[in-house]
Amino acid sequence: MSGNDNRFDEFVFSQSALQDYAECPRRFELRYLLDVRWPAQETAQALQYEAGQQQGQAFHHLAHQHALGVPAESLAATITDDELRVWWQRYLHWQTTNLPVERYPELTLTAPIGEWMLMAKYDVIAKLNDGTFLIVDWKTGRPQTSTRLANRMQTIVYPFVLAKAGDWLNDNQPISPDRIRFVYWFAENGETIEFKFSDEELKKSETRLNGLLGEITTRVEFDKTADERRCRFCAYRSLCERGEIPGDM
């Protein structure tokens, strides 16, 4: 593959695509370049995993509707799942003191970086009274550590794209990186992990992303990951001859 590979002419890079590449270049190629659909279970507990996915989707829908102005009481009346009801109460308690009424839910922004395009899909962005822009990502899975999250592409991509493409949220003025905060909120315990941004972080992110995108778009072969532990929960593991049995949650 050369640097002029036309598969990337219209390609818009997301944090999900970059995370897949960081974990396994071959998975990135199969999923995003070759569009391979492989019907393998990702986990041994397929029904439990599917139920968790549905709960997560239901929670995100509730939060979205609430941000659009639907009364919390009306939304609560639609909840039939006990765990989801607990999540909802935790959300209501947290957002009351941490988010303004005016917020931008389910927002997608794209920003150019070099010759490529980078996309971020936000759960919610809010402008606080002090002029700070708060990015919130609702997490309904197992809580993670700040160290693990700091290395996720989402933590790098989301603030970067907002700084580069969020001026229309700020009276058409560029958003200073030091006015951006990124919070992961965990439904399981109602706790948060926060990351702050700065001019220095913006420069570091741009350098890292430019290097990564250049590497991807000039790569000749997309090798499998050397860390076979990553294959346990990958739908392509049998295609790559990395095992038939899905990982145990």
Side-chain angles (χ1 to χ4, degrees), residues 18-34:
L18 293 177
Q19 189 65 46
D20 274 336
Y21 178 81
E23 293 182 0
C24 178
R26 178 59 171 162
R27 185 200 301 165
F28 169 86
E29 181 185 37
L30 289 169
R31 181 168 290 162
Y32 297 99
L33 298 183
L34 301 180

Side-chain angles (χ1 to χ4, degrees), residues 3 8 13 18 21 111-118 153 156-157 160-161 164 201-219:
F8 292 104
F13 289 89
L18 293 177
Y21 178 81
I113 175 169
E115 57 188 283
W116 308 287
M117 292 297 294
L118 193 59
M153 295 308 304
I156 299 168
V157 169
F160 178 84
V161 171
K164 291 292 187 179
E201 289 296 325
L202 179 70
K203 292 174 183 175
K204 286 181 180 178
S205 295
E206 188 156 20
T207 298
R208 180 173 178 181
L209 290 167
N210 264 313
L212 189 60
L213 294 173
E215 177 183 316
I216 293 172
T217 54
T218 58
R219 189 150 187 163

Side-chain angles (χ1 to χ4, degrees), residues 32-125:
Y32 297 99
L33 298 183
L34 301 180
D35 196 26
V36 174
R37 299 289 183 261
W38 200 253
Q41 288 181 205
E42 294 187 17
T43 71
Q45 295 86 356
L47 293 179
Q48 180 183 345
Y49 178 75
E50 183 178 354
Q53 293 288 96
Q54 291 174 348
Q55 278 183 320
Q57 291 169 4
F59 175 82
H60 279 79
H61 179 70
L62 289 169
H64 183 207
Q65 293 296 104
H66 187 238
L68 292 176
V70 179
E73 298 80 7
S74 300
L75 293 168
T78 69
I79 301 173
T80 58
D81 180 272
D82 289 341
E83 187 172 24
L84 181 57
R85 188 175 292 109
V86 172
W87 291 356
W88 183 241
Q89 290 303 315
R90 288 177 181 146
Y91 157 81
L92 290 176
H93 176 74
W94 184 83
Q95 64 88 37
T96 298
T97 55
N98 290 280
L99 285 179
V101 173
E102 185 176 353
R103 55 194 80 166
Y104 302 90
E106 304 292 335
L107 189 65
T108 299
L109 297 177
T110 56
I113 175 169
E115 57 188 283
W116 308 287
M117 292 297 294
L118 193 59
M119 173 183 67
K121 293 183 177 181
Y122 303 91
D123 284 345
V124 65
I125 297 175

